Amino acid sequence: MSQLYTTVIGLEVHVQLATKSKLFCRCSTQFGAEPNTQTCSVCLGLPGSLPVMNRTAFDLSLKTAVALNCVIPKFTKWDRKQYYYPDLPKAYQISQYDLPMSSAGWLEISDEKGSFEPKRVRITRAHLEEDAGKSIHDEAAGKADSEIDLNRTGTPLLEIVSEPDLSSSAEAKAYLQELKLLLTHIGVSDCNMQEGSLRVDANINLHIDTPEGKIATPIVEIKNMNSFRAVERALDYEAPRQFRVWQETGQKIGEAPKQTRGWDDSAGVTRGQRSKEESSDYRYFPDPDLVPVLVTDDQVAEARKSLGELPADLRNRFVQEYGLSAYDASVIVNQGQGVTNYFEQVARESGDAKSACKWVTQDILRLLKDGEQEINAIGVSAANLAGMISAVNDGKLPKPRAKEAFELMLSTGSTAQQAIQELGIEQVDESALVELCRELLDKNPRVVADVQSGKVQAIGALIGQAKKLNPNVDPGRFREICLELAMESSSSE
Amino acid sequence: MSSHSSLIESSATAQLELLMRGDLFSVELTQAYLDSIASRDANVGAFLRVEKDRALAQAASVDKRRQSNKPLGKLAGLPVAVKDVLCDQDTITTCASRMLENFRAPYDSTVVAKLKAADAILIGRTNMDEFAMGGSTENSAFQITRNPWDLERAPGGSSGGAAACVAADMAPLSIGTDTGGSIRQPAGLCGVVGLKPTYGRVSRFGLVAFASSLDQVGPLARTSQDAALLLETIAGHDLRDATSLDRPVPAYSQSVAEPLAGVRIGLVREHFAEGLDSEVASAVRDAVAVYESLGATVKEISLPHSKHAVATYYVIAPCEASSNLARYDGVHYGHRTDEAEMLEELAAERKALEAAKDEVGLSRLDSSLVRMYRKSRSEGFGAEVKRRIMLGTYALSAGYYDAYYLKALKVRRLIRQDFDEAFREVDLIAGPVTAQTAFKIGEMVDDPLSMYLVDLYTVSANLAGIPGISLPCGFDKSGLPIGLQLLAPPLEEERLLRGAHMYEQATDWHQRRPEI
Amino acid sequence: MAITRSDVEKVSLLARLQFSDSELDRLTGELAQIVEYVDHLSEVPTEGIEPMAHAVEVHNVFVSDEVMPSLPRDKALANAPRHNDRAFLVPPVLG
């Protein structure tokens, strides 16, 4: 299909900050507890209770905002966003309205496979707010009572709002992946979507070229997307849907109210959600129970220092320091800090980054995908893999048998040295190898003749025979010696 | 009269001395007050609940510990009445509202916890305007409180029960709260001492919020010495209240007797304008003359923005209240409407709309949840609370925020700046607490705006966050008390108390008793 | 800004309150009077004046991130108008 329109996407991401206790009280944030066992007078919103801010929650927010290249204002405050819902016991959410703790940042995204050009996605703002509780509705909606669980109420969330800079589902997914990588890397959130510690809402509309010029369609907000894949699918569904609607109605932005649609993952469609006309009048005002926070330049500098090397820095360094391709550097770094650290250890200890990269991107990543296991749980430690690469390079382990050794190390957890012994691999003495070459060349004058006439690949036929006679033969070296001897015999004739 | 009456007419400080010397048992003292309540409160109606059994048990425990020389708190054995707006663990806190008729907080407010730690005897819970909104205590959902000086008249409010119980010697000390004058105004109208501390001086944790940026807890007592004793018990920094001030608490009861030598007193020009009752005006001028005779210098000052204080207050307080009271929605606690009845009502409305083919009406019909909220709240709240919620919701709603709330916050700063300016020239500001003495019960119930204007002289201190005290300074022709208000810069409660005390030493207004 | 009866009706939904017709009439009058009174604030010059949301200048109040015991569930639910020993109950939210 020729491009009839461009898609314009902005994402609102809520991440749960990695604190032990809630934002305004000392109840645990542990996931999975029995309903209403992690509440107190503050998060129940009981009369007379007052919020006091969790220092770690603010520090983690600041760290994130700095990592997202945001501007950190010197003054920030908290406001009440007021609406009635049974899972919001105070009937207001403590959030930030006109003076958020950060704004105007950016996050760079790219695709190693080149499906889109690298770009900087602007971050409008990131602000710290409290979560609501959970309403559990009866399956047959509207029939039985709804149950309210307030365990989650008051959990610290950072809301990260992007500008509408994303123009495809692939870009949206890349943005989310890069954001998750960054946030887990700096340890501010576990970004676990299943447990709700990362939630995504998308705002999407179209810019359509018409003979009368470019027009924009009404913005739709999509909710209920429970995985990055769901985000991708929902956006892929929604853009053509909006185009069809536009073809039918011709409605432009401003001509219809902003609509909220929910993603139905099993049906693969978005559906309009009922909206109350007055629901958007949130009556924000500064929360008189909380005092403003002043942030100094020193604190921002401190936060910046605490970040260390970010994923983008790591990719650059891997290209420069280890000579990896940009593609390989991305593949490794995008796996997260565990794999990144693993690779670095293998590369450093073996002194062979290229081989380290090859083993990590092929064999190690395959294992992670197969077993969905953690890098730390893999049978071959970084030190052992480095030892194995060194053994190959030192000639102690013939390259073709390295795989065999790796598999053994994987299942037994042994070192390269132990695996070499276990497999009975011995280094073949150079003179024994020359002897073996002579013997086989003598038995195969035809091969010698072929080589002498320029068909060097004829040696290949001897390698199999050599390996049968001695499995430890290094085929490369065997080939070199055979060629040398064959040519020698030719020149002596 | 019996020895009882002389006992309960003595000051809390004197009672405490007797208790400490072992010349008086707390059980005796507590019983004397319980007897006083039993004989008088049927007329006054100051208490919503009298904690007789608990009080006597507490008193017996204090006596026992004193006899065995165990360490005791600083108010050990002294009865204290508490306004029914401060949570007391596992007992009922109603805020004089149907909404919270059965609410039991699972925790102690900081002030109640401090009173318990001081071994005070928590004798009962006093009546108030519902959620502290009002100036007459007529807005209580449960009962009327009468002014001990004239039972046809209101005690003022919202801490009307707190003031009346001290005035009628039903408690030596009581705790009130003051958002726009709710301690000082009833203290003035009932002829007792009432102090609103600097915002942040006393923790608000466990105080059921009315307007969070204005609410303060403070003492009511017969004398400034007694008020000092109670204030030093409840004041102090609290980690659970982010707006509480991390500053040491002076020993108010030690310093209160030191007169303020050469104190500079400011009289606010704007306070003596139209509307001020002439008897009140002359009583205040007489009080100022007393100060002059004690070596004070008096200066007329101006608080040019004070004329906007009531308007500013009636934007900020309802806005905050509308938000603070949103939580009473019948979901997690408090009153919930009869659900079956509510669902029937909705079904009937739907049927009628369907029969009339009223599509618009149908689309606007409340969901069952929304109707549950609306009915629960409308049944649970009284008229004044609903009026203020409506006012605040309106002022914060889309399109009005800048014109009302934001504007009021700016004028609030101007009001504060007026005080900062004035306190460069004077140490204390003196003036009337109210323009009139106690008004008749029912006199203003149909005129909310006039009722709001009663706060004229008191709201500025709340807006500015400064401390203020009300003390008796005379009586009008009808024998109703007149209050003198002193205001001081932030955290100068000590100055207020010393200033009040030196006046009390020169006068005897505070020793007069209503006949009841 | 005169407040109308239709404003009052709208605000009553926002505030989750319900009034009878006669209550709405009375309330409209009362609120109009109060609003007219507070409208005088618009005459106060406030250019360059910072809003004062708090009565005291306190900043950066935090507590450390330590878990303390929560309320036992029966206590948390004790004041609920309706509960089933594990959760607060409300009429169907969807519907």
Side-chain angles (χ1 to χ4, degrees):
Chain A
M1 181 173 79
S2 68
Q3 203 59 15
L4 300 167
Y5 55 81
T6 50
T7 311
V8 181
I9 302 164
L11 296 178
E12 283 179 24
V13 177
H14 286 90
V15 287
Q16 178 179 333
L17 296 170
T19 57
K20 296 196 281 283
S21 62
K22 294 184 179 181
L23 183 51
F24 297 117
C25 64
R26 307 284 63 81
C27 288
S28 169
T29 55
Q30 190 73 46
F31 178 81
E34 278 292 298
N36 294 303
T37 54
Q38 286 173 182
T39 68
C40 69
S41 58
V42 176
C43 56
L44 289 170
L46 291 187
S49 64
L50 293 173
V52 186
M53 190 171 292
N54 183 329
R55 181 185 298 278
T56 302
F58 184 80
D59 290 347
L60 294 178
S61 306
L62 186 62
K63 194 171 171 180
T64 310
V66 170
L68 289 170
N69 308 291
C70 285
V71 174
I72 313 294
K74 295 197 187 319
F75 178 98
T76 186
K77 67 173 172 83
W78 277 262
D79 304 280
R80 294 182 180 178
K81 177 182 180 177
Q82 311 193 65
Y83 63 94
Y84 284 89
Y85 205 73
D87 64 15
L88 191 68
K90 300 190 297 296
Y92 58 81
Q93 176 194 25
I94 302 176
S95 182
Q96 300 199 275
Y97 182 50
D98 55 339
L99 298 170
M101 48 91 48
S102 71
S103 63
W106 48 264
L107 181 66
E108 212 153 56
I109 58 166
S110 62
D111 178 41
E112 59 260 32
K113 297 196 181 83
S115 74
F116 59 83
E117 287 299 306
K119 65 154 77 169
R120 257 184 197 190
V121 180
R122 290 169 301 156
I123 309 280
T124 316
R125 58 189 281 166
H127 72 246
L128 176 58
E129 63 183 25
E130 61 174 340
D131 203 351
K134 206 164 76 178
S135 306
I136 306 139
H137 307 303
D138 187 56
E139 284 298 318
K143 293 285 171 273
D145 291 324
S146 294
E147 292 190 1
I148 311 299
D149 171 13
L150 299 182
N151 281 349
R152 210 174 64 191
T153 308
T155 300
L157 297 179
L158 192 68
E159 178 176 333
I160 302 165
V161 183
S162 86
E163 292 286 316
D165 285 351
L166 300 159
S167 46
S168 67
S169 63
E171 288 185 12
K173 190 178 172 196
Y175 170 82
L176 292 171
Q177 284 171 333
E178 185 67 13
L179 188 63
K180 178 178 173 178
L181 179 67
L182 179 69
L183 301 186
T184 50
H185 183 92
I186 61 176
V188 297
S189 174
D190 65 16
C191 294
N192 184 332
M193 278 186 103
Q194 273 69 48
E195 295 181 1
S197 37
L198 190 151
R199 282 168 255 163
V200 187
D201 298 329
N203 284 296
I204 170 171
N205 72 337
L206 310 178
H207 286 175
I208 304 173
D209 279 318
T210 70
E212 291 79 42
K214 189 174 271 198
I215 64 117
T217 59
I219 296 173
V220 170
E221 182 172 6
I222 312 178
K223 292 181 175 290
N224 305 342
M225 298 172 291
N226 297 321
S227 65
F228 290 175
R229 177 79 189 121
V231 174
E232 213 180 2
R233 290 178 64 211
L235 293 171
D236 282 339
Y237 171 84
E238 182 62 15
R241 189 197 68 81
Q242 288 187 17
F243 189 66
R244 285 195 307 274
V245 171
W246 176 77
Q247 284 176 315
E248 284 164 25
T249 65
Q251 261 180 348
K252 290 183 245 170
I253 193 165
E255 293 176 357
K258 181 173 160 177
Q259 198 194 1
T260 301
R261 300 180 68 85
W263 170 244
D264 180 336
D265 204 61
S266 53
V269 298
T270 62
R271 296 185 206 277
Q273 292 184 338
R274 194 169 73 155
S275 65
K276 280 261 172 222
E277 49 170 326
E278 48 87 28
S279 66
S280 58
D281 195 345
Y282 290 127
R283 288 161 290 132
Y284 281 101
F285 80 106
D287 191 328
D289 291 330
L290 287 165
V291 298
V293 171
L294 306 183
V295 183
T296 63
D297 292 344
D298 284 354
Q299 278 172 285
V300 175
E302 197 63 36
R304 185 160 288 130
K305 231 168 67 187
S306 78
L307 292 175
E309 226 174 1
L310 297 179
D313 305 325
L314 280 170
R315 290 189 196 103
N316 288 337
R317 185 163 63 77
F318 285 5
V319 170
Q320 309 213 318
E321 192 176 325
Y322 297 120
L324 303 193
S325 68
Y327 177 89
D328 283 338
S330 281
V331 168
I332 290 171
V333 172
N334 290 358
Q335 295 297 319
Q337 208 150 21
V339 172
T340 302
N341 291 344
Y342 185 95
F343 161 76
E344 274 226 271
Q345 195 186 342
V346 177
R348 286 218 174 109
E349 291 183 12
S350 68
D352 180 356
K354 288 248 158 62
S355 299
C357 173
K358 190 182 134 289
W359 280 99
V360 169
T361 56
Q362 292 171 9
D363 301 79
I364 299 292
L365 290 194
R366 177 179 46 77
L367 288 168
L368 293 183
K369 267 186 198 136
D370 287 351
E372 286 188 338
Q373 53 182 332
E374 292 291 317
I375 183 81
N376 297 332
I378 281 189
V380 180
S381 69
N384 286 352
L385 181 58
M388 192 195 85
I389 292 170
S390 299
V392 171
N393 291 341
D394 296 347
K396 290 182 190 136
L397 173 62
K399 228 181 200 160
R401 300 203 66 186
K403 200 87 178 176
E404 228 180 307
F406 179 80
E407 294 298 333
L408 186 70
M409 289 162 72
L410 192 63
S411 55
T412 63
S414 60
T415 62
Q417 194 50 48
Q418 288 164 336
I420 288 167
Q421 276 177 7
E422 182 96 0
L423 293 170
I425 297 172
E426 281 164 38
Q427 222 173 344
V428 182
D429 182 70
E430 185 80 358
S431 58
L433 192 59
V434 171
E435 198 47 48
L436 184 67
C437 289
R438 282 225 166 86
E439 191 186 318
L440 286 172
L441 287 172
D442 287 351
K443 279 190 195 155
N444 295 283
R446 180 96 170 242
V447 171
V448 176
D450 282 350
V451 169
Q452 285 170 348
S453 68
K455 284 196 215 158
V456 286
Q457 64 272 33
I459 294 288
L462 302 186
I463 294 176
Q465 294 182 41
K467 290 212 79 169
K468 262 182 213 152
L469 294 171
N470 186 343
N472 293 326
V473 164
D474 175 355
R477 187 70 192 130
F478 175 82
R479 193 167 175 276
E480 275 170 28
I481 295 169
C482 281
L483 282 174
E484 218 169 282
L485 292 175
M487 297 317 281
E488 256 173 36
S489 66
S490 137
S491 61
S492 65
E493 263 172 27
Chain B
M1 284 289 275
S2 68
S3 61
H4 252 173
S5 84
S6 66
L7 177 61
I8 61 174
E9 282 183 14
S10 62
S11 73
T13 305
Q15 292 165 359
L16 188 59
E17 265 172 45
L18 292 174
L19 288 166
M20 280 168 39
R21 281 209 307 264
D23 291 344
L24 174 65
F25 286 120
S26 175
V27 167
E28 261 178 279
L29 181 65
T30 304
Q31 189 60 56
Y33 279 109
L34 288 169
D35 292 347
S36 172
I37 293 169
S39 68
R40 295 171 181 180
D41 205 41
N43 289 326
V44 177
F47 285 91
L48 287 173
R49 291 178 307 285
V50 179
E51 302 276 359
K52 187 179 168 190
D53 296 341
R54 186 174 81 166
L56 287 171
Q58 255 183 308
S61 151
V62 167
D63 289 337
K64 197 172 158 197
R65 278 182 287 151
R66 196 183 312 274
Q67 279 175 316
S68 47
N69 289 318
K70 296 252 172 65
L72 286 167
K74 97 187 278 153
L75 297 181
L78 268 186
V80 178
V82 176
K83 187 177 179 179
D84 204 23
V85 70
L86 286 149
C87 294
D88 182 342
Q89 189 171 345
D90 298 331
T91 70
I92 285 176
T93 300
T94 68
C95 301
S97 180
R98 293 266 170 236
M99 183 59 86
L100 292 179
E101 200 165 358
N102 301 308
F103 175 72
R104 285 173 195 270
Y107 68 99
D108 271 335
S109 56
T110 298
V111 167
V112 165
K114 279 175 179 267
L115 290 172
K116 287 179 179 172
D119 291 313
I121 309 303
L122 301 175
I123 194 165
R125 309 279 286 184
T126 58
N127 197 21
M128 56 188 280
D129 285 301
E130 184 179 8
F131 284 102
M133 296 180 196
S136 67
T137 313
E138 290 164 291
N139 296 329
S140 166
F142 303 119
Q143 69 194 39
I144 293 286
T145 299
R146 294 172 184 279
N147 192 315
W149 293 91
D150 177 350
L151 296 177
E152 297 306 307
R153 290 177 190 269
S158 63
S159 311
C165 76
V166 173
D169 289 323
M170 295 188 285
L173 298 170
S174 87
I175 297 286
T177 62
D178 190 317
T179 304
S182 282
I183 289 174
R184 291 160 291 156
Q185 184 254 27
L189 299 185
C190 290
V192 301
V193 174
L195 187 148
K196 181 204 92 78
T198 307
Y199 184 84
R201 177 78 286 189
V202 179
S203 169
R204 293 185 298 114
F205 186 82
L207 159 63
V208 181
F210 158 18
S212 314
S213 81
L214 304 162
D215 295 340
Q216 259 301 285
V217 186
L220 292 100
R222 296 224 61 98
T223 66
S224 50
Q225 173 82 56
D226 289 356
L229 182 66
L230 188 50
L231 179 62
E232 73 189 14
T233 307
I234 61 171
H237 184 230
D238 184 3
L239 289 172
R240 293 178 301 177
D241 174 1
T243 63
S244 114
L245 293 170
D246 190 5
R247 301 281 288 273
V249 178
Y252 300 118
S253 65
Q254 302 299 305
S255 59
V256 64
E258 296 166 29
L260 296 166
V263 62
R264 299 170 302 164
I265 290 179
L267 280 182
V268 182
R269 193 176 303 139
E270 292 82 1
H271 283 178
F272 294 88
E274 195 191 341
L276 179 62
D277 179 86
S278 61
E279 287 187 80
V280 174
S282 72
V284 170
R285 292 206 187 274
D286 289 351
V288 171
V290 169
Y291 276 108
E292 281 183 295
S293 74
L294 296 171
T297 55
V298 176
K299 184 168 182 184
E300 188 171 270
I301 55 162
S302 173
L303 297 171
H305 294 94
S306 62
K307 59 177 175 290
H308 304 297
V310 173
T312 304
Y313 177 83
Y314 278 96
V315 173
I316 293 172
C319 284
E320 292 185 8
S322 71
S323 175
N324 286 331
L325 273 67
R327 68 187 63 196
Y328 306 109
D329 57 12
V331 173
H332 311 99
Y333 46 81
H335 172 75
R336 181 185 293 189
T337 193
D338 183 313
E339 289 178 58
E341 213 170 85
M342 176 271 293
L343 290 171
E344 255 172 56
E345 179 187 291
L346 257 184
E349 283 175 39
R350 178 177 299 279
K351 215 169 153 190
L353 289 166
E354 279 167 354
K357 295 200 163 42
D358 182 350
E359 291 298 323
V360 178
L362 276 170
S363 75
R364 284 193 188 150
L365 188 64
D366 293 337
S367 68
S368 55
L369 184 65
V370 168
R371 183 59 63 88
M372 184 193 86
Y373 285 144
R374 297 181 81 170
K375 282 189 77 75
S376 300
R377 288 167 60 75
S378 294
E379 293 163 2
F381 292 138
E384 180 58 27
V385 170
K386 285 189 256 193
R387 193 149 46 223
R388 296 204 195 186
I389 290 173
M390 288 291 288
L391 187 58
T393 306
Y394 172 72
L396 286 176
S397 66
Y400 296 111
Y401 179 85
D402 285 6
Y404 292 119
Y405 193 70
L406 191 63
K407 184 75 181 182
L409 292 187
K410 289 177 179 175
V411 180
R412 181 179 189 178
R413 187 168 300 278
L414 292 171
I415 289 167
R416 169 62 186 259
Q417 286 172 355
D418 282 356
F419 279 111
D420 291 344
E421 201 68 34
F423 283 124
R424 280 192 202 115
E425 296 178 53
V426 299
D427 303 312
L428 291 172
I429 293 173
V433 179
T434 53
Q436 316 278 333
T437 52
F439 45 88
K440 286 234 164 80
I441 288 167
E443 196 177 317
M444 283 195 273
V445 281
D446 290 326
D447 189 357
L449 186 56
S450 306
M451 190 71 233
Y452 294 177
L453 291 169
V454 168
D455 298 335
L456 186 61
Y457 303 126
T458 49
V459 289
S460 294
N462 300 83
L463 291 167
I466 62 172
I469 194 169
S470 168
L471 60 151
C473 74
F475 289 82
D476 70 3
K477 286 196 290 284
S478 330
L480 296 170
I482 297 172
L484 172 73
Q485 177 175 236
L486 301 177
L487 300 173
L491 290 166
E492 292 293 349
E493 284 80 5
E494 194 170 45
R495 194 187 294 172
L496 281 182
L497 288 162
R498 290 169 62 191
H501 184 81
M502 66 192 271
Y503 177 80
E504 285 169 1
Q505 296 308 297
T507 57
D508 67 352
W509 307 115
H510 62 287
Q511 286 165 357
R512 306 230 182 150
R513 289 294 197 279
E515 280 171 37
I516 223 182
Chain C
M1 277 171 265
I3 185 164
T4 64
R5 195 187 140 114
S6 118
D7 290 334
V8 175
E9 263 184 279
K10 263 184 233 156
V11 172
S12 75
L13 174 59
L14 261 185
R16 296 292 187 268
L17 290 170
Q18 194 179 25
F19 298 103
S20 67
D21 281 348
S22 64
E23 282 176 319
L24 277 175
D25 288 337
R26 207 194 61 225
L27 201 53
T28 304
E30 287 167 353
L31 292 179
Q33 197 192 9
I34 299 165
V35 167
E36 192 192 326
Y37 177 76
V38 302
D39 268 341
H40 290 298
L41 286 180
S42 65
E43 294 155 18
V44 186
T46 52
E47 294 79 23
I49 303 295
E50 278 295 306
M52 179 175 165
H54 291 87
V56 287
E57 297 278 321
V58 178
H59 301 109
N60 299 38
V61 177
F62 297 106
V63 284
S64 57
D65 180 28
E66 282 161 35
V67 175
M68 309 264 258
S70 294
L71 284 172
R73 179 155 68 186
D74 58 336
K75 280 246 178 188
L77 296 171
N79 283 294
R82 222 147 53 73
H83 66 81
N84 61 2
D85 294 325
R86 47 179 264 128
F88 300 90
L89 294 179
V90 290
V93 168
L94 307 169

